[in-house]
Amino acid sequence: AQKITQTQPGMFVQEKEAVTLDCTYDTSDQSYGLFWYKQPSSGEMIFLIYQGSYDEQNATEGRYSLNFQKARKSANLVISASQLGDSAMYFCAMREGQGAGGTSYGKLTFGQGTILTVHP
Amino acid sequence: DSGVTQTPKHLITATGQRVTLRCSPRSGDLSVYWYQQSLDQGLQFLIQYYNGEERAKGNILERFSAQQFPDLHSELNLSSLELGDSALYFCASSVAGGLGEQFFGPGTRLTVL
């Protein structure tokens, strides 16, 4: 079963507008972490934001915020005031707590990604 | 700049060959992770080392191996290369064994001809 689902293969947004990239996850762990990464066309993976499962407040980092809805198992990324440089692939990822046998020590499971295009 | 370095940036080789990819984690990070990104498989976890010891294994082929040295740098060895091994290989590091953010290196793009 897919653990991280990003249902939007591509999204378009006008410069200076806000955009929400969807991410849902599946886990039976109580302790887990959710991450968003940006991959521009140059290929590097840039860490954007992190949310722990026990964090009561939504994470924010500058123009990025994570809309964490635990009961719905969703961790959507909100980018406010989009800029042309935000055009990139965006990945949602999850780090589960200790898996069966205690072997999941921090590995990330990624979604398929969403390509965001910002129009001027 | 994440502070994680990877060399080489690009690697072109032939089927059947063996290559070594190198990664230096951020200063102070004890954990190193290797990921493979390909068009058909997406981003997949390969293997994790923590302070020199193997900690977790993902879908890593038997033809692939890795190690982490006392100075904490890591190497990923890929042997008997096949066309399907062409991918972008990332190294990431984090402070502890499982907690905290993972910062990725720039990646090594491997092309097998």
Coordinates of all heavy atoms in Angstrom, one line a residue, chain A residues 35 37 39 41-47 50 89 91 95 102-112, chain B residues 31 33 35 37 41-43 45 48 55-57 88 90 97-106 109:
Chain A
F35 N 7.8 15.6 6.0 CA 8.8 16.5 5.4 C 8.2 16.9 4.0 O 7.6 16.2 3.3 CB 10.1 15.8 5.1 CG 10.8 15.3 6.4 CD1 10.3 14.1 7.0 CD2 11.9 15.9 6.9 CE1 10.9 13.6 8.1 CE2 12.5 15.4 8.0 CZ 12.0 14.3 8.6
Y37 N 10.1 18.5 0.5 CA 11.4 18.9 -0.2 C 11.0 19.5 -1.6 O 10.0 19.2 -2.2 CB 12.2 17.7 -0.5 CG 12.9 17.1 0.8 CD1 12.3 16.2 1.6 CD2 14.2 17.5 1.1 CE1 12.9 15.7 2.7 CE2 14.8 17.0 2.3 CZ 14.1 16.1 3.1 OH 14.7 15.6 4.2
Q39 N 12.6 20.1 -5.5 CA 13.6 19.7 -6.4 C 13.5 20.6 -7.7 O 12.7 20.3 -8.5 CB 13.5 18.2 -6.7 CG 14.7 17.7 -7.6 CD 14.6 16.2 -7.8 OE1 13.6 15.6 -8.0 NE2 15.8 15.6 -7.8
S41 N 14.9 22.2 -11.4 CA 15.3 21.4 -12.6 C 16.8 21.1 -12.5 O 17.2 20.1 -13.2 CB 15.1 22.3 -13.8 OG 15.7 23.5 -13.7
S42 N 17.6 21.8 -11.6 CA 19.0 21.4 -11.5 C 19.2 20.1 -10.7 O 20.3 19.5 -10.8 CB 19.7 22.6 -10.7 OG 19.0 22.9 -9.5
G43 N 18.2 19.6 -10.1 CA 18.2 18.3 -9.5 C 18.4 18.1 -8.0 O 18.1 17.1 -7.5
E44 N 18.9 19.2 -7.4 CA 19.2 19.0 -5.9 C 17.9 18.9 -5.1 O 16.8 19.4 -5.6 CB 20.1 20.1 -5.4 CG 19.4 21.5 -5.3 CD 19.7 22.4 -6.5 OE1 19.7 21.9 -7.6 OE2 19.8 23.6 -6.2
M45 N 17.9 18.3 -4.0 CA 16.8 18.2 -3.1 C 16.9 19.2 -1.9 O 17.9 19.1 -1.1 CB 16.7 16.8 -2.5 CG 16.4 15.7 -3.5 SD 14.7 15.8 -4.0 CE 13.9 15.1 -2.5
I46 N 16.0 20.1 -1.9 CA 16.1 21.2 -0.9 C 15.1 21.0 0.2 O 13.9 20.9 -0.1 CB 15.9 22.6 -1.6 CG1 16.9 22.8 -2.7 CG2 16.0 23.7 -0.5 CD1 16.7 23.9 -3.6
F47 N 15.5 20.9 1.4 CA 14.6 20.7 2.6 C 13.8 22.0 2.8 O 14.4 23.1 2.8 CB 15.4 20.3 3.8 CG 14.6 20.4 5.1 CD1 13.7 19.5 5.4 CD2 14.8 21.5 5.9 CE1 12.9 19.6 6.6 CE2 14.0 21.6 7.1 CZ 13.1 20.7 7.4
Y50 N 9.4 20.7 8.2 CA 9.2 19.5 8.9 C 8.1 19.6 9.9 O 8.0 20.6 10.6 CB 10.5 19.1 9.6 CG 10.4 18.0 10.6 CD1 10.2 16.7 10.2 CD2 10.3 18.3 12.0 CE1 10.1 15.7 11.2 CE2 10.1 17.3 12.9 CZ 10.0 16.0 12.5 OH 9.9 15.0 13.5
M89 N 9.7 20.7 -8.8 CA 9.0 19.5 -8.3 C 9.0 19.5 -6.8 O 10.1 19.9 -6.2 CB 9.7 18.2 -8.8 CG 9.1 16.9 -8.3 SD 7.6 16.4 -9.1 CE 8.4 15.4 -10.4
F91 N 8.2 17.3 -3.3 CA 8.0 16.0 -2.7 C 7.6 16.0 -1.3 O 8.2 16.8 -0.5 CB 9.3 15.1 -2.8 CG 9.7 14.7 -4.2 CD1 10.6 15.4 -4.9 CD2 9.1 13.6 -4.8 CE1 11.0 15.1 -6.2 CE2 9.4 13.2 -6.1 CZ 10.4 13.9 -6.8
R95 N 8.8 10.0 7.6 CA 9.7 9.2 8.4 C 8.8 8.5 9.5 O 8.2 9.2 10.3 CB 10.8 10.0 9.0 CG 11.8 9.2 9.8 CD 12.5 10.0 10.8 NE 11.6 10.4 11.9 CZ 11.5 11.6 12.4 NH1 12.2 12.6 11.9 NH2 10.7 11.9 13.3
G102 N 11.8 -3.0 14.8 CA 12.6 -1.8 15.1 C 13.6 -1.4 14.1 O 14.7 -1.0 14.4
T103 N 13.3 -1.6 12.8 CA 14.3 -1.4 11.8 C 14.2 -0.1 11.1 O 15.0 0.2 10.3 CB 14.3 -2.6 10.8 OG1 13.0 -2.6 10.2 CG2 14.7 -3.9 11.4
S104 N 13.1 0.6 11.3 CA 12.9 1.9 10.5 C 13.6 3.0 11.2 O 13.0 3.8 12.0 CB 11.5 2.2 10.4 OG 10.9 1.2 9.6
Y105 N 14.9 3.2 11.0 CA 15.6 4.2 11.7 C 15.8 5.4 10.8 O 16.9 5.7 10.4 CB 17.0 3.7 12.1 CG 16.9 2.7 13.3 CD1 16.8 1.4 13.1 CD2 17.0 3.2 14.6 CE1 16.7 0.5 14.1 CE2 16.9 2.3 15.7 CZ 16.8 0.9 15.4 OH 16.8 0.1 16.4
G106 N 14.7 6.1 10.6 CA 14.9 7.4 9.9 C 14.7 7.4 8.4 O 14.8 8.5 7.9
K107 N 14.6 6.3 7.8 CA 14.5 6.4 6.3 C 13.2 7.1 5.9 O 12.2 7.1 6.6 CB 14.4 4.9 5.8 CG 13.1 4.2 6.1 CD 13.1 2.9 5.3 CE 11.7 2.3 5.4 NZ 11.6 1.0 4.6
L108 N 13.3 7.8 4.8 CA 12.2 8.6 4.3 C 11.5 7.8 3.2 O 12.1 7.2 2.4 CB 12.6 9.9 3.8 CG 13.2 10.9 4.8 CD1 13.6 12.2 4.1 CD2 12.2 11.2 5.9
T109 N 10.1 7.8 3.2 CA 9.3 7.3 2.1 C 8.7 8.5 1.4 O 8.1 9.3 2.0 CB 8.2 6.4 2.7 OG1 8.8 5.3 3.4 CG2 7.4 5.8 1.5
F110 N 8.9 8.6 0.1 CA 8.5 9.7 -0.7 C 7.3 9.5 -1.5 O 7.0 8.3 -1.9 CB 9.6 10.1 -1.6 CG 10.8 10.8 -1.0 CD1 11.8 10.0 -0.5 CD2 10.9 12.1 -0.9 CE1 12.9 10.6 0.2 CE2 12.0 12.7 -0.3 CZ 13.0 12.0 0.2
G111 N 6.5 10.5 -1.7 CA 5.4 10.5 -2.7 C 6.0 10.6 -4.1 O 7.2 10.8 -4.3
Q112 N 5.1 10.7 -5.1 CA 5.5 10.7 -6.5 C 5.9 12.1 -6.9 O 6.4 12.3 -8.0 CB 4.4 10.1 -7.4 CG 4.3 8.6 -7.2 CD 5.5 7.9 -7.5 OE1 6.3 7.5 -6.6 NE2 5.8 7.7 -8.8
Chain B
S31 N 24.6 10.2 10.9 CA 23.8 9.3 10.1 C 23.9 9.7 8.6 O 23.7 10.8 8.3 CB 22.3 9.3 10.6 OG 21.7 8.0 10.5
Y33 N 22.3 8.5 4.7 CA 21.3 7.7 4.0 C 21.7 7.8 2.5 O 22.1 8.8 2.0 CB 19.9 8.3 4.2 CG 19.6 8.5 5.6 CD1 20.0 9.7 6.3 CD2 18.7 7.7 6.3 CE1 19.7 9.9 7.6 CE2 18.3 7.9 7.6 CZ 18.8 9.0 8.3 OH 18.5 9.3 9.6
Y35 N 19.8 7.3 -1.3 CA 18.6 7.2 -2.0 C 18.9 7.1 -3.5 O 19.8 7.7 -4.0 CB 17.7 8.4 -1.7 CG 17.2 8.5 -0.3 CD1 17.9 9.2 0.6 CD2 16.0 7.9 0.1 CE1 17.5 9.3 2.0 CE2 15.5 8.0 1.4 CZ 16.3 8.7 2.3 OH 15.8 8.8 3.6
Q37 N 17.0 7.9 -7.2 CA 15.9 8.5 -7.9 C 15.9 8.1 -9.4 O 16.8 8.5 -10.1 CB 15.9 10.0 -7.8 CG 14.6 10.7 -8.4 CD 14.6 12.2 -8.2 OE1 15.6 12.8 -8.1 NE2 13.4 12.7 -8.1
Q41 N 10.9 4.3 -10.8 CA 10.8 3.9 -9.4 C 10.6 5.1 -8.4 O 10.3 4.9 -7.3 CB 12.0 3.1 -8.9 CG 12.2 1.8 -9.7 CD 11.2 0.8 -9.3 OE1 10.6 0.8 -8.2 NE2 10.9 -0.1 -10.2
G42 N 10.8 6.3 -8.9 CA 10.7 7.5 -8.1 C 11.9 7.5 -7.1 O 13.0 7.0 -7.4
L43 N 11.7 8.1 -5.9 CA 12.8 8.2 -4.9 C 12.7 7.1 -4.0 O 11.7 6.9 -3.3 CB 12.6 9.5 -4.1 CG 13.5 10.7 -4.6 CD1 12.9 12.0 -4.1 CD2 14.9 10.6 -4.1
F45 N 14.6 4.7 -0.9 CA 15.7 4.5 0.1 C 16.5 3.2 -0.2 O 15.9 2.2 -0.4 CB 15.0 4.4 1.5 CG 15.9 3.9 2.6 CD1 16.9 4.8 3.1 CD2 15.8 2.7 3.1 CE1 17.7 4.4 4.2 CE2 16.6 2.2 4.1 CZ 17.5 3.1 4.7
Q48 N 21.0 2.9 5.2 CA 21.4 3.9 6.1 C 22.6 3.4 7.0 O 22.6 2.2 7.4 CB 20.2 4.2 7.1 CG 20.6 5.2 8.2 CD 19.6 5.2 9.3 OE1 18.6 4.4 9.3 NE2 19.8 6.0 10.3
R55 N 22.5 0.6 9.6 CA 21.3 0.7 10.5 C 20.0 0.2 9.9 O 19.2 -0.4 10.6 CB 21.1 2.2 10.9 CG 20.0 2.5 11.9 CD 20.1 1.8 13.2 NE 21.2 2.3 14.1 CZ 21.0 3.2 15.0 NH1 19.8 3.7 15.2 NH2 22.0 3.6 15.7
A56 N 19.9 0.4 8.6 CA 18.6 0.0 7.9 C 18.9 -0.2 6.5 O 19.8 0.4 5.9 CB 17.5 1.0 8.1
K57 N 18.2 -1.1 5.9 CA 18.3 -1.4 4.5 C 17.0 -1.3 3.8 O 16.0 -1.8 4.3 CB 18.8 -2.9 4.3 CG 20.2 -3.0 3.8 CD 20.6 -4.5 3.7 CE 22.0 -4.6 3.0 NZ 22.5 -5.9 3.0
L88 N 19.7 9.1 -10.5 CA 20.3 10.1 -9.7 C 20.4 9.5 -8.3 O 19.4 9.0 -7.7 CB 19.4 11.3 -9.7 CG 19.9 12.6 -9.1 CD1 21.3 13.0 -9.6 CD2 18.9 13.8 -9.3
F90 N 21.3 10.0 -4.4 CA 21.5 11.0 -3.4 C 22.0 10.4 -2.1 O 21.7 9.3 -1.7 CB 20.1 11.7 -3.0 CG 19.6 12.6 -4.1 CD1 18.5 12.2 -4.9 CD2 20.1 13.9 -4.2 CE1 18.0 13.1 -5.8 CE2 19.6 14.7 -5.2 CZ 18.6 14.4 -6.0
G97 N 20.3 9.1 14.8 CA 20.0 7.9 14.0 C 18.7 7.9 13.3 O 18.5 7.2 12.3
G98 N 17.7 8.6 13.8 CA 16.4 8.6 13.2 C 15.7 9.8 13.3 O 14.7 10.0 12.6
L99 N 16.1 10.7 14.1 CA 15.4 11.9 14.4 C 15.9 13.1 13.6 O 17.0 13.1 13.1 CB 15.4 12.3 15.9 CG 14.9 11.2 16.8 CD1 15.1 11.6 18.3 CD2 13.5 10.9 16.5
G100 N 15.1 14.1 13.4 CA 15.6 15.3 12.9 C 15.5 15.4 11.3 O 15.2 14.4 10.7
E101 N 15.8 16.5 10.8 CA 15.7 16.7 9.4 C 16.8 16.0 8.7 O 17.9 15.8 9.2 CB 15.8 18.2 9.1 CG 14.6 19.1 9.6 CD 14.9 19.6 11.0 OE1 15.8 19.0 11.7 OE2 14.2 20.6 11.4
Q102 N 16.6 15.6 7.5 CA 17.6 15.0 6.6 C 17.9 16.0 5.5 O 17.0 16.5 4.9 CB 17.1 13.7 6.0 CG 17.0 12.6 6.9 CD 16.7 11.3 6.2 OE1 16.9 11.1 5.1 NE2 16.0 10.4 7.0
F103 N 19.2 16.3 5.4 CA 19.7 17.2 4.4 C 20.4 16.5 3.3 O 21.2 15.6 3.6 CB 20.6 18.3 5.0 CG 19.9 19.2 6.0 CD1 19.8 18.9 7.3 CD2 19.2 20.3 5.5 CE1 19.1 19.7 8.2 CE2 18.6 21.2 6.4 CZ 18.5 20.8 7.8
F104 N 20.0 16.8 2.1 CA 20.5 16.1 0.9 C 21.7 16.7 0.3 O 21.7 18.0 0.2 CB 19.3 15.9 -0.1 CG 18.4 14.8 0.2 CD1 17.5 15.0 1.3 CD2 18.3 13.7 -0.6 CE1 16.6 14.0 1.6 CE2 17.4 12.7 -0.3 CZ 16.5 12.8 0.8
G105 N 22.5 15.9 -0.3 CA 23.6 16.4 -1.1 C 23.1 16.7 -2.5 O 21.9 16.4 -2.8
P106 N 24.0 17.2 -3.4 CA 23.5 17.6 -4.7 C 23.3 16.4 -5.6 O 22.7 16.6 -6.7 CB 24.7 18.4 -5.2 CG 25.9 17.9 -4.5 CD 25.4 17.5 -3.1
R109 N 24.7 11.9 -10.8 CA 23.9 11.4 -11.9 C 24.7 10.3 -12.6 O 25.8 10.6 -13.2 CB 23.5 12.5 -12.8 CG 22.5 12.0 -13.9 CD 21.9 13.1 -14.7 NE 21.1 14.0 -13.9 CZ 19.8 13.7 -13.6 NH1 19.3 12.6 -14.0 NH2 19.1 14.6 -12.9

